[in-house]
Structure formats: structure tokens, C-alpha cells
Amino acid sequence: MLLELKDLIALVTGGASGIGAATAYALAAEGCRVIVADINFAGAQRVTAEIEKSGHSARALELDVRDHNALNMCVADIVTRETRIDILVTAAGIIKSEALAQSTMTDWQALCDTNLTGVLATCHAVMPVMVQQRAGRIINIASVAAYRGGGLVGNALYGMTKAGVIALTKGLARELAPHGITANVLAPALTDTPLVRDALTPEILARIRARIPAGRLGAAQDIADLITFLASARASFITGAVVDIDGGYLTT
């Protein structure tokens, strides 16, 4: 299947590791020119170097999605250099696993600033560019935690932010469809990424793995492959969709 992504401009936040890095590699392999944006600039540079080593095009940007002025400057810089933004993937995120009773309002603010407000701000900054060019793909990352209020992935506060991302994406899909723009959101189960390995002990990970019918955690590549399809011309009539990538977890 030809995805027709060659020379499209893709902005991937959280691109230094995990799902974001896997997505950057996957889009670059299909011919996109990828902007790898992350608060971890050294990590973004490493991903960019690996993409360029494989003969594809990428550029690293230092970006904290909590800094809305920096977001607007980042988007303006991309448009100045590339003239357009065809694909936006919002993979920047953090996780908290403490029980709600042990969580604080500071925990909530930290989660919300990155996982929800950060996604909103990024989409809001890119939307005018896509509306003007009358084309674009927005792919956001939620979680099965949105359905279960945490549980298997993260805590209740984490689940709340991801439920908000789903609601946001539905609204974006409705408002942007007349402009030729699609917006979709993926809801992975626990994915084997550095973020998850840092947040959870091996014992907790083993218990979680045992609850997934497929018998394994998700791989970042599982999510990146679907993002690549949703970014393509083959997915032009798919918008407002919430796609669960969970190895059967939600069937249990």
C-alpha cells in the first residue's frame, strides 16, 4: 500500500524517545521531513542523527509544550523554513502511578500542563497553518486509562488528562473536517517505553503483562505504524476516531 507521504512536513512532539521517537523514525522512513521536538533536546538530536544516518530528512527542535509562547515560535519557525505543516503528532506526555489519596494538586497540575493543556496548545498553534493550506493530519495520543480512570496505566489523574485528549480530538475533528483536516486519537494500553520503565517496577510491569490477553506490553512501533497510516492519504475519511491499541485489554 502506497501511503504517499513523501516530502510531507511532520511535527512530532515528545520525539526524543518512546512512541514519539518510533513515530519520527516511521514517518521519515515513508519519506516525510520530520521535525523532532522535545524538551530533551539532546535526545531529539540523537533521533534526528539516526534518521539522517538512514538517508532520510529530520531536524531537532527544543520544545517544552508547557511554554505556549515557545510553541507559537516553534510553529512560526517551521512555517518559515518549510512553508507548511502537514502532519502533527502530539506524543509529549508524563505519567503518575500513585493512588489518588496519595496524589496532590501539584501532581494534577503537572499532568494537566503536559498531557492535556500541552496537547491543546500544540493543536491550537498548528491549526491555523493547516486551515490556511486546507489540508492536514492531527494524531493525538491518549490511553486506555481514559476509560478506566487509570488502573492498568497510570492513576486516576493521568486517566482524566487522557479522557480530555479524547474529547479535544472529537471536537477538533468536527470543527476541522470542512477544512480538509482530520483529527484522530490513539488509546494504547501500557507501552514498553523508557517513560513507563522509569515509572513502574519490574514486578508491577509483570502483573500488568499478565492481564493483557496478547501476553505482552505494547511496543512503540505498534503505535507508530498506525500513526503512519492515519497520517496518509489512505485515511482521508477517518476522523474523530478513537483507536484502541491494547492487545485485548479492554475485552477483559
Side-chain angles (χ1 to χ4, degrees), residues 9-28 32-39 44 47 51 59-61 63 65 74 78 85 87-92 122 139 141 227:
I9 308 303
L11 169 60
V12 181
T13 68
S17 66
I19 292 170
T23 299
Y25 295 135
L27 290 172
C32 288
R33 304 209 301 272
V34 182
I35 291 90
V36 182
D38 204 291
I39 192 171
V47 171
I51 289 172
R59 178 163 64 94
L61 279 180
L63 176 65
V65 297
C74 169
I78 295 168
I85 300 174
I87 300 159
L88 169 64
V89 181
T90 62
T122 306
I139 301 109
I141 310 297
I227 288 172

Side-chain angles (χ1 to χ4, degrees), residues 45 175 203:
Q45 288 178 310
E175 293 189 20
E203 292 75 21

